[in-house]
Amino acid sequence: LLYHSEIGERCIGKTIEACRGFQLPDSSTGSFSIDDIDGHARLYFFERISIGQPENELYLLVGFLVKEMRKDIANMLLAKIAILGAATLISLALAWGLGERYFIAPIKKLVERTQQIQSGDLREAPAISALPDELRTLFIAFERMVAELSQKEADRDLATAELRASEQKYRTLFDNMAQGVFYQNTDGQLTDWNRKAMDIFGLKENQFAGEPPRDLTWKLVQEDGSDYPEEHHPSKMALRTG
C-alpha cells in the first residue's frame, strides 16, 4: 500500500490483505463488493496500470461505502476520486520529473473533469489530447469507473420508478376489488383494509382502525351457512399456527 486517502500512515508499506483483510482479484480491472475489515459494506473498483515497462505495475483501488452510494452516488464518487486521483497523479509527476508541460497541465484537465462530474454531470467526457501513456491509461480507468456508477444510478432510478408504478397498481386493485380484505399484524391490530371490507361490516374508516370490528349481534357463517367457530377464523388460525 503506497497511498491511502483516509487511514494515514499506519498501513503504508503493508499489503492490502494485512491492512484491509482481503486480496485483490487476479484480473486487470473490475469491481467487487465486500464487508470490509471495519464492518461496513463497500463497493471497490480497481485497475492495474503498467508504469513505463509492462512488468512495472501499479494498482489503482477506490472503495465506496454502499450506504453512502445509495444516498448520493455522484457526490461521493467525485469526492473520493478527486482526492485520490489528484494525489496519485501529482506524486507520479514529481517522481518522473517531467514538469509542467507533460504532467501539471494534464492534471489540471483531469481536476476540471472531476469538478464537472461533482456538479452532477456524469456524461462521457471528450478525450484529453497529448496525455502521456500512463496518464491516458489512468484517465480511461477513471472514465470507466464513472460510466459504471452512472449506469448503476440509472438502473436504481428505473427500479424505483417501476416499484412505484407496481405499488400504485396494487393499491388501485386492492381498493376497488369486489372482495372485502383487511390486514392484521401479529398483535392482531388492523393495519390496512379496503372499501369493500368497510361496506361489508357497515362501518366507517375511523371505526375500523386498531382492533378488529366486533358486534355481539353479528353471527359469522361459512359459505354453506353453517356456524363459523371463532377459533377457526383465518386471522386467529394464522396467528396461532404462524
Side-chain angles (χ1 to χ4, degrees):
L1 189 64
L2 301 180
Y3 172 80
H4 195 293
S5 65
E6 293 181 351
I7 59 177
E9 301 295 327
R10 62 184 177 85
C11 282
I12 301 302
K14 298 181 180 179
T15 65
I16 291 291
E17 183 177 11
C19 180
R20 305 303 294 176
F22 62 83
Q23 291 181 327
L24 288 175
D26 187 19
S27 57
S28 60
T29 185
S31 62
F32 59 92
S33 298
I34 193 171
D35 287 339
D36 218 332
I37 195 170
D38 58 6
H40 294 296
R42 281 186 172 84
L43 176 61
Y44 280 98
F45 294 88
F46 65 93
E47 181 86 12
R48 185 166 56 191
I49 302 170
S50 295
I51 305 299
Q53 301 298 323
E55 62 272 15
N56 296 332
E57 294 179 340
L58 174 72
Y59 271 93
L60 175 65
L61 179 67
V62 185
F64 305 97
L65 283 169
V66 173
K67 63 180 181 181
E68 293 297 330
M69 291 180 65
R70 289 173 180 164
K71 290 189 292 187
D72 194 343
I73 291 177
N75 286 342
M76 184 200 64
L77 163 72
L78 296 169
K80 299 294 184 181
I81 290 293
I83 294 172
L84 181 58
T88 302
L89 292 175
I90 290 173
S91 66
L92 290 174
L94 293 175
W96 291 328
L98 297 182
E100 172 75 22
R101 178 178 180 184
Y102 294 102
F103 287 96
I104 301 302
I107 286 172
K108 289 180 179 178
K109 291 184 179 296
L110 290 176
V111 171
E112 290 173 1
R113 171 62 174 145
T114 63
Q115 292 172 342
Q116 174 190 353
I117 299 173
Q118 195 166 18
S119 68
D121 184 0
L122 294 179
R123 293 174 299 176
E124 182 178 359
I128 298 178
S129 59
L131 280 177
D133 289 342
E134 293 82 2
L135 289 181
R136 185 180 299 109
T137 302
L138 183 60
F139 178 77
I140 292 172
F142 178 83
E143 288 299 316
R144 186 181 294 120
M145 288 188 287
V146 172
E148 287 186 29
L149 283 178
S150 178
Q151 183 60 48
K152 287 180 183 293
E153 187 177 53
D155 292 344
R156 181 201 63 187
D157 292 343
L158 177 60
T160 300
E162 291 176 347
L163 178 61
R164 287 200 188 104
S166 177
E167 289 175 344
Q168 182 60 43
K169 182 179 179 180
Y170 158 77
R171 173 53 61 179
T172 301
L173 292 173
F174 178 70
D175 285 340
N176 294 283
M177 64 191 298
Q179 292 77 24
V181 179
F182 61 83
Y183 288 102
Q184 290 175 266
N185 61 22
T186 55
D187 295 325
Q189 297 289 313
L190 289 172
T191 60
D192 201 2
W193 50 87
N194 65 0
R195 294 179 223 172
K196 188 63 177 179
M198 290 188 288
D199 292 342
I200 291 173
F201 283 103
L203 298 174
K204 297 181 179 179
E205 187 164 1
N206 61 350
Q207 297 172 304
F208 223 83
E211 295 287 342
R214 292 186 180 90
D215 190 319
L216 296 178
T217 65
W218 290 347
K219 179 181 179 182
L220 296 179
V221 295
Q222 303 189 72
E223 288 186 271
D224 60 4
S226 60
D227 288 341
Y228 207 147
E230 186 175 354
E231 63 272 15
H232 290 170
H233 190 278
S235 297
K236 291 186 178 295
M237 293 182 65
L239 291 170
R240 185 173 65 251
T241 64

